[in-house]
């Protein structure tokens, strides 16, 4: 074991780098939603991500607006400490460098489910739990972050079998999903899927709504999806991780074929998830997080092998990674300027129907997180769930959003037709408020 002081200093260094390189301002994609949940409490989009929701809320309570930045820096630093079993100067330089590489910081430091999921896999890789209570509990926690937690058993040790204890641990870890119906029935403002009833709870945790929208694109063997995934993997390797990773593969082949096999299976499982479950995000920062874990483990083993062969070569290889990280580093996307420019022209007391999630969640950050433009009412052109409207009227109770789908049509109509009818009903029911769509 590395000395506690060395671990502490290394952790503080990695945490500081991760914090400085972390997200600022108004994030793109789902980051605005997570930040809103951190501020208001409640549940995230299907399947609910309860562990991330609660962690986000706690981060806001302790650190306010910087809470998620601290939280995700903590996730990244802890995960990298666990992957780096042996700490040396080249390893510290290497780890500091990879924190700045775009392929890593856009997966671990952007506010999404992948940073905490990466940490759970890193803990499992470090602990190598047998099939028992600990393994079940870790898997339950992983599932409470992201569905890819289903692949966690690939890293388990199968020397001891205790199925009842594993099931007990799994139930214990998954019990955090009970926060979804509890928040729902207690009136959480952000209440994706209204999981306060058994039917809605099951629909939420199985991502029923997600499958309804994207189901036609799932499970299709697409060459384009495969190519996009391969491009992502290549961008992770190139330009500085390819050589250390290849050396790591050679070393594991000689010394630990079992670990090499597990890492290979994890990469294949990650690829199948992208291909069959989440092809919509192929080629983006929302995929290949498990492959990234494998590449980093192999690269760290490779750097250690180079250092063992010749210390100066290890320093040179690690220094090249650090230099590349500094040269290639780009801040995570901050759409503050675009969001402010977009909403600034809106007259007072406007009702805005937004189709872009980036713009919608960015507007949430302005209104619900930063307490600016409290007069605006933000709705979605593609989501007319009751909780969206309750969230709007919670802060603007004078707005009339009482008409539902059955008041203007029925569910046999197309989504676009229903959207137009509901928007027109909003215009008619709120004559004193200007209504806009994007």
């Amino acid at each position: 074991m590395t000395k506690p002081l060395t671990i502490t200093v290394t952790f503080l260094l990695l945490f500081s780098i991760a914090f400085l390189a972390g997200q600022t301002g108004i994030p793109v994609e789902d980051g605005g939603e997570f930040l809103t949940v951190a501020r208001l409490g409640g549940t995230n989009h299907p399947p609910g991500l309860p562990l991330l929701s609660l962690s986000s809320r706690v981060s806001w309570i302790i650190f306010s607006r910087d809470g998620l930045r601290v939280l995700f820096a903590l996730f990244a630093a802890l995960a990298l400490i666990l992957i780096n079993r042996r700490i040396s100067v080249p390893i510290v330089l290497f780890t500091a460098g990879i924190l700045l590489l775009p392929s890593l910081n856009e997966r671990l430091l952007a506010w999404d489910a992948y940073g905490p999921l990466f940490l759970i896999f890193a803990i499992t890789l470090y602990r190598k739990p047998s099939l028992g209570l600990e393994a079940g509990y870790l898997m339950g926690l992983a599932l409470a972050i992201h569905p890819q937690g289903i692949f966690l058993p690939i890293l388990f040790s199968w020397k001891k079998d205790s199925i009842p204890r594993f099931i007990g641990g799994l139930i214990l870890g998954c019990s955090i999903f009970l926060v979804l119906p509890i928040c729902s029935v207690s009136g959480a403002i952000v209440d994706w899927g209204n999981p306060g009833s058994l039917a809605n709870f099951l629909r939420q945790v199985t991502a029923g709504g997600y499958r309804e929208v994207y189901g036609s694109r799932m499970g299709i063997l697409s060459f384009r999806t495969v190519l996009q995934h391969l491009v992502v993997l290549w961008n992770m390797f190139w330009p500085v991780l390819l050589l250390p990773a290849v050396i790591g593969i050679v070393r594991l082949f000689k010394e630990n074929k079992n670990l090499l096999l597990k890492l290979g299976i994890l990469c294949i499982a990650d690829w199948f998830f992208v291909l069959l479950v989440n092809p919509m995000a192929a080629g983006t920062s929302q995929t290949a997080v498990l492959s990234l874990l494998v590449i980093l483990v192999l690269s760290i083993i490779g750097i250690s092998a180079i250092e063992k062969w010749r210390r100066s070569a290890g320093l040179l290889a690690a220094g090249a990674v650090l230099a590349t990280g500094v040269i290639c580093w780009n801040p995570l996307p901050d759409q503050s300027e675009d969001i402010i420019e977009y909403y600034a022209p809106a007259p007072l007391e406007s009702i805005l129907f937004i189709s872009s999630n980036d713009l919608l969640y960015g507007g949430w950050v302005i209104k619900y997180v930063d307490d600016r433009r409290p007069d605006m009412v933000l709705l979605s052109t593609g989501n007319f769930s009751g909780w969206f409207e309750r969230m709007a009227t919670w802060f603007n109770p004078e707005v009339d959003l009482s008409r539902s789908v059955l008041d203007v049509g029925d569910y046999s109509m197309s989504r676009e037709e229903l959207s137009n009818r509901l928007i027109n009903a909003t215009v008619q029911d709120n004559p004193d408020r200007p209504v806009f769509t994007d």
Side-chain angles (χ1 to χ4, degrees), residues 360-403:
L360 177 63
Y361 299 152
W364 284 10
V365 173
I366 288 178
K367 179 178 174 69
Y368 302 124
V369 177
D370 295 334
D371 297 323
R372 301 160 66 181
R373 292 304 305 264
D375 60 291
M376 291 193 309
V377 177
L378 301 175
L379 298 167
S380 169
T381 59
N383 193 324
F384 287 90
S385 299
W387 83 264
F388 257 65
E389 298 173 355
R390 287 195 300 273
M391 182 178 178
T393 56
W394 179 286
F395 292 91
N396 301 92
E398 71 284 357
V399 175
D400 185 356
L401 301 174
S402 57
R403 282 204 262 181

Side-chain angles (χ1 to χ4, degrees), residues 296-310:
L296 292 183
V297 170
L298 293 174
S299 299
I300 289 169
I301 292 173
I303 290 291
S304 297
I306 295 172
E307 180 189 9
K308 186 176 180 181
W309 170 64
R310 185 164 295 176

